[in-house]
Amino acid sequence: MLNDADDAVIASGQPHTHTSTVTIDGTDRIYEATKHPVKDENGKVTGILSVIRDVTEQKRIEETLMFSDAALKSIQECVYAMDNDFNVTYWNATCEEIFGIEASKALGRYIGDLITMQEDYPGQNDERVRLLVEKGNNREEQVYITPNGAIWVDVLAQTIDRNGKRHGWITLANDITERKKVEEELRISEERTSRAFRSVPDGITITRLSDGRFIEVNDSFLNLTGYTREEVLGHTTRELTMWVDDHDRETLMSLFKKDGKVTNFEHRFRKKSGETGIGVINAEPITMTGMACAISVVTDITEKKKAEEQLRYQASLVDNVAEAIISHDFNLKILSWNKAAERIFEIKKEDIIGKDIRKVCRIEPVSTTVGNVKKAVNEKGLWRGETIHHLKSGKSIHMRVSTMVVRGETREQDSFVLIMSDITEEKKAEAKLKQLYEQEITLRQKVEHEMKKRTEFSAAIVHELKTPLTAILSSSELMMEMALDETLQRLSKNINRSAYELTKRTNELFDMSRGELGILEILPEKFNFLETIRSMQIEFEALFSRANISFTMAIPETLPPVYGDEVRIRQVIYNLIDNASKYTPEGGTVTLKVKDNSSEVLVEIRDTGPGLSSKQKESIFEPYRQLIDGTRSKGGMGLGLAIARNLVEAHGGTMRVESRKGKGSRFFFTIPYQTA
């Protein structure tokens, strides 16, 4: 229904302002309503846009001009007083802010020298003064020219009377620059209303209240729903099945009828494609060419809802991580406090939010100072390190901390996030580990000292044994050359053979001792592995021929060079061949195979001896484990295989055995072509 004010706006095509008093909850409120005509492209008024402003406080201020100095200073409007000659006698803080003139520079000066009232026509200011003097008051919207520029003000000027005598003037000026800008923008945009209507990013619809049919929609609504304008106009939301839940439509209609509008109504909508989304509707009644309609703004919050869900998920993650996550503002007031922080610091979230973080505990950085931490955070926006937190309860907690800055528009708007892991137990373990490590070092030094003494003792024993053995070997060899008697020849050979075996055992004992200490001497160089094998072939054939054992070799035509100690590798092969010769019976077979195995050479020595039991295989490479064939000892101290394995491992290779009782044995070892 149109009222008289609406008719006046439609008839004149000009804005119309009026005030009214409304009682709300027993309290009177004064509203100022300005109605602006909405025109079509032909200048015809097609609707009315109302701007309603609560002016209750302003009216009260107008009616109560005599107030205390404290009250004058507390209000937000510009208040200044003048004597009868219009010289300023009072100038509040709002005047200083709005007009850009300090009170100290305004007091005592003529008001016209401070601010100029802009005239719409010549002589208007003189007329204003005359009306003020005649009536004793004047209310007007004016433009003041001030040091801060042109300012629109709603001015109420009134005489100050005491006992019927005029003592000056008091003026209440409200800055309405923004309001005027809005009104001007509304006026300018009237001819562009239709275009602006269609370009608003939110969907806007106008529907008839009588049947709910669309009479206008903007492009954003069409983009949101996926329909064309032709498909929408003249139809209802129900006909287009836009409501996912028809109960939402009924609830919205009920709210509109009850309250005369709908505010922030959340609902689920369906697009033409069948895809659904979440929207918020704000709707108010309007009149279009005398027809009651509703204008609705539909905001798509689907992505916002997804983001909120993601935020809730992230918040849940923050609350369930093992690390304490705390944030505080520039003034050290705590903003957030997750469950891990509650557990570590033994303080509930509701008891700490908003409080100074320094009240939680005293923080002591490790290996740095508080000043260095602050400097790093201020300059780099990040600091990582360890801190000790001394709680009020007397408990100390060792923390691993990351502190970062979330920058605001100003430094005072910065906030800080602390991620802290309780490493108290870790530090205790480290301290214990350090203690054990120091004990280990002490023990190792003692062991190394004992091992050194043992090595030195072994070397001394070997030296003491080799000196007489060398003389025995030399003398026996000389005796074999000079002795003519057969008995002396046999005795010389026995002495020489025994001295040789004793020298061999002495060397093995020394090698074993050095191997156990990890100081076995290896002198690596590049050499031709196949030539080494071939050079040993004649010696092996002679050895097996004397024992009536068949010996065969299977080696490739070429091999890459091997980087190792040729003498030591010869020793390995000889020890394995010697071992095979001892345990292979007459008429048996021993086979030596060499294979290129990618990055290493693989050597296999197979015999047809008695084989090994599972228990024997477990200890075959242990020193001093002499294997007995059940009838006689094979001689030696059982060091050959142990030394061979030590030498192979010193080259970075491996040694293993495959054997079954009564089926013979196969010994394998590998030597890398390039040893680190």
Side-chain angles (χ1 to χ4, degrees):
M1 296 295 292
L2 298 176
N3 54 32
D4 294 340
D6 294 337
D7 292 337
V9 173
I10 293 173
S12 65
Q14 298 298 321
H16 178 79
T17 301
H18 71 280
T19 60
S20 59
T21 301
V22 179
T23 300
I24 301 176
D25 296 333
T27 302
D28 290 342
R29 305 297 297 178
I30 303 173
Y31 292 92
E32 180 184 86
T34 302
K35 298 194 174 187
H36 299 267
V38 178
K39 300 178 182 180
D40 59 17
E41 295 177 354
N42 299 319
K44 182 178 178 181
V45 177
T46 59
I48 297 172
L49 177 65
S50 297
V51 178
I52 301 174
R53 187 165 64 99
D54 187 342
V55 295
T56 306
E57 294 304 318
Q58 181 177 323
K59 288 296 183 181
R60 288 175 181 171
I61 292 172
E62 292 174 359
E63 295 170 359
T64 312
L65 292 176
M66 298 302 293
F67 43 75
S68 66
D69 184 64
L72 288 173
K73 290 180 179 178
S74 67
I75 64 174
Q76 299 301 309
E77 285 80 4
C78 298
V79 180
Y80 60 91
M82 302 169 288
D83 60 19
N84 286 328
D85 295 324
F86 296 99
N87 295 317
V88 176
T89 59
Y90 178 83
W91 190 267
N92 75 344
T94 307
C95 290
E96 292 182 326
E97 179 184 352
I98 300 300
F99 300 146
I101 303 171
E102 296 178 3
S104 60
K105 296 179 180 180
L107 295 176
R109 295 186 60 186
Y110 177 63
I111 188 64
D113 294 337
L114 301 174
I115 55 179
T116 302
M117 294 180 289
Q118 183 174 292
E119 293 183 327
D120 293 333
Y121 52 87
Q124 186 179 17
N125 285 338
D126 293 336
E127 184 178 336
R128 286 168 173 160
V129 173
R130 180 180 59 80
L131 288 172
L132 179 60
V133 172
E134 289 179 359
K135 295 171 54 181
N137 63 77
N138 187 36
R139 171 78 182 274
E140 185 182 357
E141 292 181 356
Q142 305 173 4
V143 176
Y144 279 4
I145 307 300
T146 74
N148 280 348
I151 301 172
W152 270 99
V153 288
D154 183 359
V155 179
L156 174 63
Q158 185 168 319
T159 182
I160 301 174
D161 288 332
R162 290 183 185 172
N163 301 323
K165 183 178 180 181
R166 179 179 297 160
H167 289 272
W169 314 90
I170 187 165
T171 301
L172 179 70
N174 187 30
D175 184 357
I176 60 170
T177 305
E178 292 304 316
R179 194 195 82 190
K180 281 296 183 180
K181 287 180 180 178
V182 172
E183 292 176 352
E184 181 65 13
E185 289 171 359
L186 285 173
R187 185 190 65 79
I188 294 173
S189 66
E190 283 181 357
E191 65 272 13
R192 291 180 263 168
T193 301
S194 178
R195 187 160 33 127
F197 174 81
R198 288 185 171 84
S199 63
V200 172
D202 290 331
I204 300 180
T205 68
I206 299 176
T207 55
R208 282 198 301 259
L209 289 180
S210 59
D211 56 13
R213 297 189 181 278
F214 291 106
I215 61 173
E216 186 57 272
V217 295
N218 70 347
D219 292 341
S220 296
F221 180 79
L222 299 175
N223 293 334
L224 176 62
T225 60
Y227 288 96
T228 64
R229 190 177 304 278
E230 292 73 20
E231 290 173 329
V232 171
L233 296 184
H235 295 278
T236 66
T237 54
R238 173 175 279 183
E239 291 172 349
L240 298 173
T241 65
M242 288 185 175
W243 295 92
V244 173
D245 186 349
D246 200 58
H247 178 70
D248 286 345
R249 185 188 70 84
E250 295 173 358
T251 302
L252 181 137
M253 295 292 292
S254 176
L255 289 172
F256 194 89
K257 289 179 180 179
K258 176 185 174 184
D259 301 330
K261 63 178 181 178
V262 173
T263 303
N264 296 330
F265 181 79
E266 190 172 311
H267 71 294
R268 294 181 63 211
F269 63 89
R270 182 182 292 108
K271 302 180 182 182
K272 180 182 177 181
S273 64
E275 182 184 356
T276 62
I278 303 173
V280 169
I281 296 179
N282 287 276
E284 292 202 10
I286 61 169
T287 301
M288 297 288 290
T289 61
M291 180 170 51
C293 299
I295 182 169
S296 302
V297 178
V298 183
T299 304
D300 184 3
I301 61 168
T302 306
E303 294 304 318
K304 177 184 176 184
K305 283 291 184 181
K306 290 179 181 178
E308 289 175 353
E309 183 62 28
Q310 181 66 21
L311 286 174
R312 283 192 291 270
Y313 173 71
Q314 292 173 352
S316 174
L317 291 180
V318 168
D319 252 354
N320 288 281
V321 296
E323 292 79 8
I325 301 178
I326 301 170
S327 65
H328 64 80
D329 63 15
F330 184 77
N331 296 314
L332 302 179
K333 296 295 185 294
I334 295 175
L335 303 174
S336 65
W337 186 269
N338 74 340
K339 290 182 179 178
E342 289 184 341
R343 172 178 50 80
I344 293 172
F345 294 104
E346 301 173 355
I347 302 175
K348 291 294 184 182
K349 178 179 180 179
E350 55 268 22
D351 296 331
I352 198 65
I353 294 296
K355 293 184 180 178
D356 194 314
I357 194 171
R358 290 171 293 190
K359 294 184 178 180
V360 176
C361 59
R362 179 173 63 83
I363 301 175
E364 174 190 344
V366 176
S367 303
T368 186
T369 64
V370 174
N372 288 338
V373 173
K374 289 181 178 179
K375 182 179 179 182
V377 172
N378 289 333
E379 292 179 357
K380 301 179 182 179
L382 176 67
W383 178 81
R384 289 190 178 95
E386 294 181 5
T387 59
I388 298 176
H389 294 240
H390 302 285
L391 305 187
K392 301 294 184 182
S393 63
K395 181 180 177 182
S396 293
I397 304 174
H398 206 121
M399 292 286 204
R400 183 177 292 115
V401 181
S402 291
T403 302
M404 62 200 75
V405 181
V406 180
R407 300 292 185 190
E409 293 183 3
T410 65
R411 187 181 177 192
E412 289 71 21
Q413 292 176 321
D414 288 350
S415 58
F416 303 83
V417 177
L418 289 79
I419 302 176
M420 298 177 284
S421 301
D422 185 351
I423 58 172
T424 305
E425 294 303 318
E426 180 181 326
K427 285 298 175 181
K428 289 179 180 178
E430 286 180 4
K432 182 64 176 177
L433 185 62
K434 183 179 179 181
Q435 181 184 3
L436 293 174
Y437 178 68
E438 291 172 351
Q439 292 174 353
E440 181 196 1
I441 291 175
T442 302
L443 181 59
R444 185 187 302 163
Q445 290 172 343
K446 290 181 180 179
V447 171
E448 288 175 351
H449 178 69
E450 293 299 322
M451 290 169 68
K452 183 179 178 182
K453 288 170 63 178
R454 176 177 168 181
T455 304
E456 291 172 349
F457 176 76
S458 298
I461 290 295
V462 169
H463 177 73
E464 292 299 321
L465 288 174
K466 276 191 172 183
T467 300
L469 284 172
T470 301
I472 294 171
L473 283 169
S474 300
S475 299
S476 62
E477 288 172 357
L478 183 60
M479 286 176 64
M480 286 189 296
E481 292 177 1
M482 297 178 65
L484 299 176
D485 184 88
E486 184 178 343
T487 301
L488 290 177
Q489 279 278 351
R490 187 170 63 254
L491 291 174
S492 299
K493 289 180 179 180
N494 287 340
I495 293 170
N496 183 265
R497 187 182 307 110
S498 298
Y500 175 79
E501 288 296 326
L502 187 56
T503 300
K504 181 180 177 183
R505 299 293 174 256
T506 302
N507 289 334
E508 285 180 347
L509 183 63
F510 190 54
D511 279 346
M512 195 66 232
S513 175
R514 293 175 67 85
E516 287 176 345
L517 299 176
I519 56 174
L520 197 61
E521 187 176 21
I522 299 294
L523 301 174
E525 60 181 359
K526 189 179 292 186
F527 71 95
N528 190 315
F529 190 84
L530 291 180
E531 287 185 1
T532 299
I533 293 293
R534 292 189 185 105
S535 68
M536 300 174 73
Q537 183 176 359
I538 296 175
E539 183 179 356
F540 295 157
E541 288 174 348
L543 172 67
F544 289 114
S545 176
R546 289 193 297 271
N548 194 24
I549 297 172
S550 175
F551 174 70
T552 60
M553 281 179 43
I555 60 177
E557 293 183 2
T558 60
L559 272 180
V562 171
Y563 185 74
D565 189 328
E566 183 180 3
V567 173
R568 291 297 193 179
I569 292 176
R570 279 176 176 269
Q571 184 179 350
V572 171
I573 297 172
Y574 183 81
N575 283 3
L576 292 175
I577 290 292
D578 182 59
N579 184 74
S581 71
K582 289 179 181 179
Y583 293 97
T584 301
E586 290 187 12
T589 302
V590 173
T591 304
L592 187 152
K593 291 183 179 180
V594 178
K595 180 181 178 182
D596 181 1
N597 195 34
S598 183
S599 62
E600 59 191 8
V601 61
L602 172 65
V603 179
E604 175 190 343
I605 297 173
R606 177 184 297 186
D607 64 54
T608 57
L612 301 170
S613 66
S614 297
K615 186 176 181 181
Q616 288 174 323
K617 282 194 293 184
E618 291 176 0
S619 60
I620 189 67
F621 294 112
E622 294 181 9
Y624 314 110
R625 292 297 182 100
Q626 179 62 268
L627 300 179
I628 306 299
D629 63 3
T631 58
R632 62 183 179 88
S633 172
K634 300 301 180 181
M637 295 182 293
L639 297 178
L641 292 179
I643 292 172
R645 185 178 65 172
N646 285 345
L647 289 171
V648 168
E649 290 178 350
H651 282 81
T654 59
M655 180 175 285
R656 59 189 176 90
V657 63
E658 292 180 1
S659 182
R660 290 171 59 191
K661 198 69 176 175
K663 299 293 183 180
S665 302
R666 297 169 63 196
F667 287 83
F668 304 85
F669 74 88
T670 61
I671 301 292
Y673 291 128
Q674 294 291 333
T675 303

